[in-house]
Amino acid sequence: MSSGYSSRAGRYGSRSANLGTSLWRAVSLHLEQRDAVLEAFNEFFAPENGIALLWLEPWDKDESLSLKVLDPYFIEICRRVRLRRDAENGAIFALGQTSKGPRVDAEAQVGNLGDLWTAINKKKATALTIGHGGFHYRKVVEILFSGAYHLPPSMEIKKGDSAETLIHLSVLVRGEGGTDGLYERFLDAKHPKAKKRDELHKLANGMIKDDVDNAKKALKIGLLTMLQGGPETLNFKDKRADLWTEMLDHRIDEIFFGHFWAMAEVVDNDDQQDAARRDWQKALVENARTLFETALDQVPVPSGRRERARALAENAFDGMLHKHLPLAFSAK
């Protein structure tokens, strides 16, 4: 990992979610990439007869193993634990011991060790770290399309992969003395006509900045207008609408990539592109409106100002949606 309290993220393309199929692809990839990993990291690893299964070696609590004695595909163990069997009753028990340092002396490499599943930050040369919340759609867009990361070999399309590849993203997020959760995300990824990463990034950014952000802003302004009783000037430091905008973001997270791939597939056809964008904006408006109308009936407002505040809130909400998401209201 890039640090002791970092996360360990992995991502790969596969033909299916079946574990057997994924394992076969992974083993094949490792065999194909071994020479390339050794060449790229020749100053770190043992070219042959390196240690691979670290729990089979004695562990001095004061010293860490050097990378130079390890196989490039070594499997790490992070705690000093040994299993024993009771001679009298056959019960299995564990013995544990603390250590003063990590099993492997690799802190200086900040997670950049040729792992076939790990994306590397180009600017920092560090392994990707994912925090609490996992693979939010904005983070996935950044990883896959921004160009800020060297994508791992596991993400490359291999011979035998189908036209529709399943992207599996997973991470175990570490906390101090424990974990903050295992996060996984499966994406049905096509190989669209917009194949270049910069084209896909531009498309995704447009969906987020032009559409998502405005839908969330409309919801927030509409609800703040209601909550504050229709004031002449809104107090944007008021956090009471944030719960509802977060709920909208969760809904967007569920539908984002379906609409994204639909638009990427027709990127060179203006009419089809407009139709796909229209479907996307309509989905945003429908989800925002459902939450808005539910919130209007629930948020606390003084009874004497409720009707006026509601009318102003609806005008503000609808006005922003019509202005910034016009395709959702078009006839075609």
Side-chain angles (χ1 to χ4, degrees), residues 242-259:
D242 290 357
L243 171 64
W244 297 94
T245 57
E246 289 173 8
M247 291 171 62
L248 177 58
D249 202 55
H250 285 307
R251 292 191 175 200
I252 292 168
D253 194 50
E254 295 175 355
I255 65 174
F256 181 86
F257 284 102
H259 288 279

Side-chain angles (χ1 to χ4, degrees), residues 244-287:
W244 297 94
T245 57
E246 289 173 8
M247 291 171 62
L248 177 58
D249 202 55
H250 285 307
R251 292 191 175 200
I252 292 168
D253 194 50
E254 295 175 355
I255 65 174
F256 181 86
F257 284 102
H259 288 279
F260 169 76
W261 291 120
M263 280 189 271
E265 189 68 18
V266 295
V267 71
D268 59 351
N269 186 305
D270 291 342
D271 290 338
Q272 292 181 346
Q273 179 77 0
D274 286 345
R277 191 62 171 262
R278 186 180 305 112
D279 290 342
W280 161 239
Q281 290 192 5
K282 283 183 177 180
L284 285 178
V285 169
E286 288 171 1
N287 279 284

Side-chain angles (χ1 to χ4, degrees), residues 16 24 27 54 76 121 131 133 139 154 161 164 176 181 187 210 236 238 245 262 291 296 312 316-317 325 327:
S16 75
W24 180 261
V27 170
L54 303 196
E76 190 176 6
N121 186 298
K139 189 64 177 179
S154 60
D161 287 342
E164 295 188 3
E176 186 171 355
L187 299 176
D210 297 337
F236 286 100
D238 188 341
T245 57
L291 290 172
L296 288 185
L312 291 172
F317 176 71
L325 301 169
L327 290 175

Side-chain angles (χ1 to χ4, degrees), residues 52 65 91 99 166 178 213 215 229 255 262:
L65 288 172
S99 63
L166 186 69
D213 288 351
I255 65 174

Side-chain angles (χ1 to χ4, degrees), residues 193-207:
K193 294 178 180 178
K195 293 181 180 179
K196 295 182 179 180
R197 284 173 70 180
D198 58 345
E199 292 180 354
L200 295 171
H201 191 230
K202 181 179 179 181
L203 173 61
N205 260 356
M207 292 173 65

Side-chain angles (χ1 to χ4, degrees), residues 33-43 45-48 71-72:
Q33 294 288 326
R34 184 178 179 82
D35 290 343
V37 172
L38 276 171
E39 181 178 354
F41 295 87
N42 58 18
E43 61 182 294
F45 298 119
E48 55 185 27
D71 185 89

